[in-house]
Protein backbone atom coordinates (compact mmCIF):
# COMPACT_ATOMS: atom_id res chain seq x y z
CA UNK A 1 0.00 0.00 0.00
CA UNK A 2 1.30 3.49 -0.84
CA UNK A 3 2.59 5.54 2.10
CA UNK A 4 3.04 9.32 1.99
CA UNK A 5 6.72 10.22 2.36
CA UNK A 6 7.59 13.12 4.65
CA UNK A 7 10.77 14.34 2.92
CA UNK A 8 12.39 14.31 -0.51
CA UNK A 9 14.78 11.47 0.28
CA UNK A 10 11.96 9.22 1.45
CA UNK A 11 9.94 10.16 -1.64
CA UNK A 12 12.83 9.10 -3.84
CA UNK A 13 13.16 5.82 -1.94
CA UNK A 14 9.45 5.19 -2.47
CA UNK A 15 9.79 5.84 -6.19
CA UNK A 16 12.70 3.42 -6.38
CA UNK A 17 10.58 0.59 -5.06
CA UNK A 18 7.17 1.26 -6.62
CA UNK A 19 6.52 -0.33 -10.01
CA UNK A 20 3.18 1.41 -10.66
CA UNK A 21 4.71 4.89 -11.07
CA UNK A 22 7.60 3.82 -13.29
CA UNK A 23 7.74 4.56 -17.03
CA UNK A 24 10.84 2.57 -18.02
CA UNK A 25 12.20 -0.81 -17.03
CA UNK A 26 15.76 -2.12 -17.19
CA UNK A 27 16.23 -5.81 -17.94
CA UNK A 28 19.46 -7.15 -16.43
CA UNK A 29 21.07 -10.45 -15.51
CA UNK A 30 20.70 -11.73 -11.97
CA UNK A 31 24.48 -12.04 -12.04
CA UNK A 32 27.11 -11.39 -14.69
CA UNK A 33 28.47 -14.83 -13.83
CA UNK A 34 25.17 -16.60 -14.49
CA UNK A 35 23.52 -17.74 -17.70
CA UNK A 36 21.64 -15.05 -19.66
CA UNK A 37 18.51 -17.21 -20.10
CA UNK A 38 15.12 -15.77 -19.11
CA UNK A 39 15.31 -17.69 -15.83
CA UNK A 40 18.17 -15.47 -14.71
CA UNK A 41 16.84 -12.11 -16.00
CA UNK A 42 15.50 -9.43 -13.65
CA UNK A 43 13.36 -6.35 -14.35
CA UNK A 44 14.08 -3.09 -12.52
CA UNK A 45 11.48 -0.30 -12.73
CA UNK A 46 12.70 3.29 -13.01
CA UNK A 47 11.60 6.83 -13.90
CA UNK A 48 12.80 8.66 -16.98
CA UNK A 49 12.62 12.17 -15.54
CA UNK A 50 14.79 11.32 -12.52
CA UNK A 51 17.35 9.57 -14.69
CA UNK A 52 17.39 12.40 -17.24
CA UNK A 53 18.08 15.14 -14.68
CA UNK A 54 20.87 13.08 -13.10
CA UNK A 55 22.73 12.04 -16.24
CA UNK A 56 23.31 13.74 -19.62
CA UNK A 57 23.46 10.30 -21.19
CA UNK A 58 20.02 9.38 -19.89
CA UNK A 59 18.76 12.82 -20.97
CA UNK A 60 19.79 12.18 -24.57
CA UNK A 61 18.47 8.62 -24.35
CA UNK A 62 15.00 9.72 -23.21
CA UNK A 63 14.66 13.30 -24.47
CA UNK A 64 16.91 13.53 -27.51
CA UNK A 65 15.99 13.47 -31.21
CA UNK A 66 16.38 9.68 -31.28
CA UNK A 67 14.82 9.14 -27.87
CA UNK A 68 14.27 5.57 -26.69
CA UNK A 69 10.53 4.77 -26.92
CA UNK A 70 10.71 1.19 -25.76
CA UNK A 71 9.63 0.79 -22.14
CA UNK A 72 11.99 -2.13 -21.67
CA UNK A 73 15.74 -1.50 -22.01
CA UNK A 74 18.06 -4.51 -22.04
CA UNK A 75 21.44 -4.01 -20.34
CA UNK A 76 24.03 -6.73 -20.81
CA UNK A 77 26.95 -4.95 -19.12
CA UNK A 78 25.71 -4.98 -15.50
CA UNK A 79 23.80 -7.24 -13.16
CA UNK A 80 20.85 -6.76 -10.81
CA UNK A 81 22.80 -5.80 -7.68
CA UNK A 82 25.07 -3.41 -9.55
CA UNK A 83 22.22 -1.62 -11.34
CA UNK A 84 20.08 -1.41 -8.21
CA UNK A 85 22.91 0.23 -6.27
CA UNK A 86 23.55 2.60 -9.18
CA UNK A 87 19.89 3.64 -9.26
CA UNK A 88 19.82 3.98 -5.49
CA UNK A 89 22.60 6.57 -5.78
CA UNK A 90 20.73 8.48 -8.51
CA UNK A 91 17.53 8.52 -6.47
CA UNK A 92 18.90 9.13 -2.97
CA UNK A 93 22.66 9.92 -3.24
CA UNK A 94 23.20 6.94 -0.96
CA UNK A 95 25.47 4.11 -2.03
CA UNK A 96 26.91 0.99 -0.44
CA UNK A 97 30.20 -0.17 -1.87
CA UNK A 98 31.62 -3.66 -1.64
CA UNK A 99 34.08 -5.83 -3.51
CA UNK A 100 31.32 -7.26 -5.71
CA UNK A 101 29.75 -4.04 -6.96
CA UNK A 102 32.54 -1.45 -7.04
CA UNK A 103 33.73 -2.41 -10.52
CA UNK A 104 30.23 -2.12 -11.95
CA UNK A 105 29.49 1.13 -10.12
CA UNK A 106 32.59 2.93 -11.39
CA UNK A 107 31.86 1.61 -14.88
CA UNK A 108 28.22 2.78 -14.76
CA UNK A 109 29.22 6.16 -13.29
CA UNK A 110 31.57 6.70 -16.23
CA UNK A 111 29.18 5.31 -18.83
CA UNK A 112 26.33 7.58 -17.74
CA UNK A 113 28.60 10.53 -16.88
CA UNK A 114 27.87 10.97 -13.17
CA UNK A 115 31.18 12.39 -11.85
CA UNK A 116 30.05 12.65 -8.22
CA UNK A 117 29.59 8.87 -8.11
CA UNK A 118 32.88 8.33 -9.94
CA UNK A 119 34.65 10.36 -7.25
CA UNK A 120 33.04 8.40 -4.45
CA UNK A 121 34.05 5.15 -6.14
CA UNK A 122 37.63 6.39 -6.41
CA UNK A 123 37.74 7.35 -2.74
CA UNK A 124 36.43 3.91 -1.77
CA UNK A 125 39.02 2.20 -3.96
CA UNK A 126 41.84 4.28 -2.51
CA UNK A 127 40.81 3.44 1.02
CA UNK A 128 40.59 -0.29 0.29
CA UNK A 129 43.68 -0.94 -1.80
CA UNK A 130 45.46 -4.18 -0.96
CA UNK A 131 47.72 -6.67 -2.68
CA UNK A 132 44.75 -8.82 -3.75
CA UNK A 133 43.01 -6.08 -5.75
CA UNK A 134 45.71 -3.58 -6.68
CA UNK A 135 46.14 -4.68 -10.30
CA UNK A 136 42.39 -4.79 -10.87
CA UNK A 137 42.11 -1.22 -9.57
CA UNK A 138 45.13 -0.18 -11.64
CA UNK A 139 43.39 -1.53 -14.73
CA UNK A 140 40.22 0.42 -13.88
CA UNK A 141 42.22 3.61 -13.37
CA UNK A 142 43.50 3.30 -16.93
CA UNK A 143 40.10 2.43 -18.38
CA UNK A 144 38.49 5.53 -16.89
CA UNK A 145 41.67 7.57 -17.52
CA UNK A 146 41.88 8.76 -13.91
CA UNK A 147 45.48 9.80 -13.26
CA UNK A 148 44.87 10.44 -9.58
CA UNK A 149 43.76 6.86 -8.92
CA UNK A 150 46.52 5.57 -11.21
CA UNK A 151 49.15 7.39 -9.10
CA UNK A 152 47.62 6.05 -5.90
CA UNK A 153 47.90 2.50 -7.23
CA UNK A 154 51.58 2.89 -8.10
CA UNK A 155 52.29 4.52 -4.74
CA UNK A 156 50.76 1.47 -3.04
CA UNK A 157 52.75 -0.89 -5.27
CA UNK A 158 55.96 0.98 -4.42
CA UNK A 159 55.35 0.75 -0.68
CA UNK A 160 53.99 -2.83 -0.52
CA UNK A 161 56.06 -4.25 -3.39
CA UNK A 162 57.08 -7.45 -1.59
CA UNK A 163 53.49 -8.46 -0.73
CA UNK A 164 52.23 -7.37 -4.14
CA UNK A 165 54.80 -9.50 -5.96
CA UNK A 166 53.84 -12.53 -3.87
CA UNK A 167 50.11 -12.17 -4.54
CA UNK A 168 48.22 -14.31 -7.05
CA UNK A 169 46.99 -11.08 -8.68
CA UNK A 170 50.52 -10.32 -9.80
CA UNK A 171 50.45 -13.23 -12.28
CA UNK A 172 47.50 -11.58 -14.07
CA UNK A 173 49.36 -8.28 -14.46
CA UNK A 174 49.39 -6.81 -17.97
CA UNK A 175 52.76 -6.84 -19.70
CA UNK A 176 52.59 -3.05 -20.20
CA UNK A 177 52.20 -2.62 -16.43
CA UNK A 178 55.09 -5.02 -15.82
CA UNK A 179 57.31 -2.82 -17.99
CA UNK A 180 56.25 0.18 -15.91
CA UNK A 181 56.98 -1.81 -12.74
CA UNK A 182 60.58 -2.75 -13.60
CA UNK A 183 61.37 0.82 -14.64
CA UNK A 184 60.44 2.25 -11.25
CA UNK A 185 63.17 3.56 -8.97
CA UNK A 186 60.96 3.56 -5.88
CA UNK A 187 60.00 -0.09 -5.37
CA UNK A 188 60.41 -1.22 -1.78
CA UNK A 189 61.86 -4.63 -2.62
CA UNK A 190 65.20 -6.40 -3.09
CA UNK A 191 66.22 -6.91 -6.71
CA UNK A 192 66.48 -10.69 -6.34
CA UNK A 193 62.87 -10.76 -5.07
CA UNK A 194 61.74 -8.69 -8.05
CA UNK A 195 63.60 -11.00 -10.44
CA UNK A 196 62.10 -14.13 -8.85
CA UNK A 197 58.57 -12.73 -9.19
CA UNK A 198 59.10 -11.73 -12.83
CA UNK A 199 60.55 -15.14 -13.64
CA UNK A 200 57.41 -16.75 -12.18
CA UNK A 201 55.20 -14.31 -14.11
CA UNK A 202 56.92 -15.33 -17.35
CA UNK A 203 56.53 -19.03 -16.53
CA UNK A 204 52.82 -18.46 -15.86
CA UNK A 205 52.44 -16.68 -19.21
CA UNK A 206 54.13 -19.60 -20.96
CA UNK A 207 51.70 -22.00 -19.30
CA UNK A 208 48.68 -19.91 -20.38
CA UNK A 209 49.96 -19.77 -23.96
CA UNK A 210 50.86 -23.45 -24.08
CA UNK A 211 54.57 -22.70 -24.46
CA UNK A 212 57.59 -24.41 -22.93
CA UNK A 213 59.12 -22.45 -20.03
CA UNK A 214 62.31 -22.02 -22.06
CA UNK A 215 60.35 -19.35 -23.96
CA UNK A 216 60.32 -17.08 -20.88
CA UNK A 217 63.06 -14.90 -22.35
CA UNK A 218 60.96 -14.21 -25.45
CA UNK A 219 57.85 -13.57 -23.34
CA UNK A 220 59.66 -10.92 -21.28
CA UNK A 221 61.75 -9.32 -23.98
CA UNK A 222 64.62 -6.87 -23.56
CA UNK A 223 62.35 -4.04 -22.40
CA UNK A 224 61.71 -5.97 -19.17
CA UNK A 225 64.94 -7.92 -18.70
CA UNK A 226 67.23 -4.95 -19.37
CA UNK A 227 65.44 -2.88 -16.71
CA UNK A 228 66.34 -5.35 -13.97
CA UNK A 229 69.32 -4.24 -11.89
CA UNK A 230 71.52 -7.31 -11.67
CA UNK A 231 74.67 -5.38 -10.62
CA UNK A 232 73.06 -4.45 -7.26
CA UNK A 233 72.59 -8.11 -6.34
CA UNK A 234 74.99 -10.10 -4.22
CA UNK A 235 77.00 -12.63 -6.21
CA UNK A 236 75.23 -15.54 -4.52
CA UNK A 237 71.89 -13.96 -5.49
CA UNK A 238 73.02 -13.65 -9.09
CA UNK A 239 73.83 -17.36 -9.03
CA UNK A 240 70.06 -17.89 -8.68
CA UNK A 241 69.55 -15.76 -11.81
CA UNK A 242 72.14 -17.80 -13.72
CA UNK A 243 70.42 -21.06 -12.80
CA UNK A 244 67.21 -19.93 -14.54
CA UNK A 245 68.96 -19.41 -17.90
CA UNK A 246 66.81 -16.33 -18.41
CA UNK A 247 69.76 -14.18 -19.42
CA UNK A 248 71.74 -14.70 -22.58
CA UNK A 249 75.36 -15.81 -22.18
CA UNK A 250 76.47 -12.34 -23.27
CA UNK A 251 74.42 -10.56 -20.62
CA UNK A 252 75.43 -13.07 -17.95
CA UNK A 253 79.08 -12.47 -18.72
CA UNK A 254 78.57 -8.69 -18.58
CA UNK A 255 77.26 -8.97 -15.03
CA UNK A 256 80.03 -11.35 -13.96
CA UNK A 257 82.65 -8.98 -15.39
CA UNK A 258 81.04 -6.15 -13.48
CA UNK A 259 81.25 -8.11 -10.23
CA UNK A 260 84.97 -8.59 -10.89
CA UNK A 261 85.52 -4.94 -11.87
CA UNK A 262 82.83 -2.33 -11.19
CA UNK A 263 84.28 -0.14 -13.92
CA UNK A 264 83.35 -2.72 -16.54
CA UNK A 265 80.77 -1.23 -19.01
CA UNK A 266 77.33 -2.75 -18.52
CA UNK A 267 73.83 -2.13 -19.88
CA UNK A 268 72.07 -2.65 -16.54
CA UNK A 269 71.54 0.12 -13.98
CA UNK A 270 73.93 -0.05 -11.03
CA UNK A 271 72.00 1.84 -8.34
CA UNK A 272 69.49 0.27 -5.98
CA UNK A 273 65.81 1.12 -5.99
CA UNK A 274 64.93 3.37 -3.06
CA UNK A 275 61.43 3.70 -1.64
CA UNK A 276 60.78 7.29 -0.54
CA UNK A 277 58.27 7.28 2.30
CA UNK A 278 58.41 11.07 2.64
CA UNK A 279 56.34 11.77 -0.49
CA UNK A 280 53.05 10.52 0.88
CA UNK A 281 49.87 11.82 -0.69
CA UNK A 282 47.06 13.47 1.17
CA UNK A 283 43.63 13.58 -0.43
CA UNK A 284 40.90 16.17 -0.03
CA UNK A 285 37.29 15.61 -1.10
CA UNK A 286 35.62 18.95 -1.69
CA UNK A 287 32.31 19.61 -3.45
CA UNK A 288 32.45 16.41 -5.41
CA UNK A 289 36.05 16.90 -6.53
CA UNK A 290 39.13 14.89 -5.51
CA UNK A 291 42.19 17.02 -4.87
CA UNK A 292 45.71 15.57 -4.48
CA UNK A 293 48.18 17.34 -2.21
CA UNK A 294 51.81 16.23 -2.07
CA UNK A 295 53.85 16.91 1.06
Amino acid sequence: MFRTACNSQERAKCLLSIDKLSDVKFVVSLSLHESTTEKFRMVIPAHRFLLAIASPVFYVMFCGILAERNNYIDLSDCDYQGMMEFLRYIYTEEVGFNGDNISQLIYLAEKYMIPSLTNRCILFLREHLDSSNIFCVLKHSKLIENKSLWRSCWKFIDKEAKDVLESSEFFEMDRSDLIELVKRNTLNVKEIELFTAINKWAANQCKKLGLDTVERRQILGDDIIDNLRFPVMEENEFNVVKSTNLLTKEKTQEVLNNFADSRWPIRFLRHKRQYDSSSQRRTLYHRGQILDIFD
Side-chain angles (χ1 to χ4, degrees):
M1 183 175 177
F2 184 80
R3 178 175 62 85
T4 303
C6 62
N7 58 50
S8 59
Q9 191 172 45
E10 283 193 12
R11 293 186 197 108
K13 285 182 178 179
C14 289
L15 285 174
L16 185 59
S17 61
I18 294 177
D19 181 45
K20 285 185 178 180
L21 299 178
S22 70
D23 55 1
V24 65
K25 294 175 174 60
F26 294 106
V27 183
V28 298
S29 298
L30 179 61
S31 168
L32 288 178
H33 306 294
E34 299 286 353
S35 167
T36 56
T37 60
E38 289 300 319
K39 180 180 178 182
F40 296 101
R41 303 293 277 172
M42 303 289 289
V43 176
I44 303 175
H47 306 81
R48 294 172 188 255
F49 84 96
L50 272 176
L51 300 176
I53 62 176
S55 158
V57 177
F58 279 130
Y59 180 84
V60 172
M61 183 186 296
F62 298 133
C63 307
I65 297 174
L66 302 175
E68 176 66 60
R69 304 302 177 190
N70 194 339
N71 287 336
Y72 287 83
I73 299 175
D74 190 87
L75 298 178
S76 60
D77 53 2
C78 61
D79 63 21
Y80 178 77
Q81 292 298 332
M83 191 61 183
M84 279 299 298
E85 201 61 33
F86 176 65
L87 292 176
R88 188 162 78 93
Y89 179 79
I90 289 178
Y91 280 59
T92 68
E93 292 193 345
E94 295 177 353
V95 64
F97 296 116
N98 58 52
D100 294 326
N101 68 23
I102 184 62
S103 295
Q104 289 190 65
L105 286 172
I106 197 168
Y107 167 76
L108 291 169
E110 286 292 303
K111 177 182 177 180
Y112 294 105
M113 299 175 67
I114 303 180
S116 59
L117 178 57
T118 298
N119 286 334
R120 290 183 66 171
C121 290
I122 290 170
L123 286 174
F124 175 84
L125 288 170
R126 279 180 163 175
E127 292 169 0
H128 294 81
L129 288 177
D130 60 45
S131 57
S132 68
N133 66 20
I134 186 62
F135 294 113
C136 180
V137 177
L138 180 63
K139 186 179 295 185
H140 279 301
S141 73
K142 293 190 295 181
L143 288 173
I144 65 174
E145 298 181 344
N146 189 283
K147 291 183 178 179
S148 176
L149 181 58
W150 182 87
R151 288 194 299 267
S152 292
C153 289
W154 281 113
K155 192 67 181 178
F156 179 90
I157 292 169
D158 280 343
K159 183 180 180 181
E160 306 296 340
K162 191 173 187 300
D163 288 341
V164 167
L165 294 176
E166 291 176 353
S167 71
S168 58
E169 277 280 306
F170 173 71
F171 297 114
E172 304 305 319
M173 189 180 195
D174 293 339
R175 188 177 184 280
S176 60
D177 291 331
L178 191 62
I179 294 172
E180 173 74 19
L181 180 79
V182 296
K183 287 182 177 180
R184 295 184 73 79
N185 289 316
T186 46
L187 291 174
N188 186 23
V189 69
K190 293 180 65 177
E191 203 67 21
I192 185 61
E193 293 170 337
L194 177 59
F195 170 81
T196 300
I198 287 173
N199 186 41
K200 290 179 179 178
W201 180 91
N204 186 63
Q205 293 298 306
C206 287
K207 183 178 179 181
K208 287 164 65 173
L209 296 171
L211 301 174
D212 193 281
T213 54
V214 297
E215 303 294 333
R216 286 168 298 146
R217 188 185 302 163
Q218 285 67 38
I219 289 289
L220 291 173
D222 289 341
D223 46 0
I224 291 177
I225 292 174
D226 288 357
N227 278 289
L228 292 168
R229 305 181 184 188
F230 300 107
V232 307
M233 295 181 181
E234 300 293 335
E235 288 192 54
N236 65 313
E237 292 174 338
F238 187 68
N239 287 334
V240 175
V241 176
K242 285 170 55 182
S243 68
T244 66
N245 294 316
L246 196 59
L247 290 183
T248 63
K249 290 181 179 179
E250 178 189 0
K251 291 179 181 180
T252 299
Q253 193 59 51
E254 269 188 34
V255 179
L256 292 174
N257 290 340
N258 183 258
F259 281 136
D261 182 354
S262 60
R263 295 169 299 177
W264 191 273
I266 192 168
R267 74 191 72 195
F268 304 107
L269 291 177
R270 304 169 190 258
H271 58 275
K272 291 184 178 181
R273 304 172 198 269
Q274 295 289 334
Y275 173 67
D276 183 7
S277 60
S278 64
S279 59
Q280 295 295 316
R281 175 179 292 108
R282 290 181 290 123
T283 303
L284 294 180
Y285 182 64
H286 178 64
R287 295 182 179 178
Q289 297 297 312
I290 294 176
L291 306 175
D292 282 338
I293 297 178
F294 293 89
D295 293 332

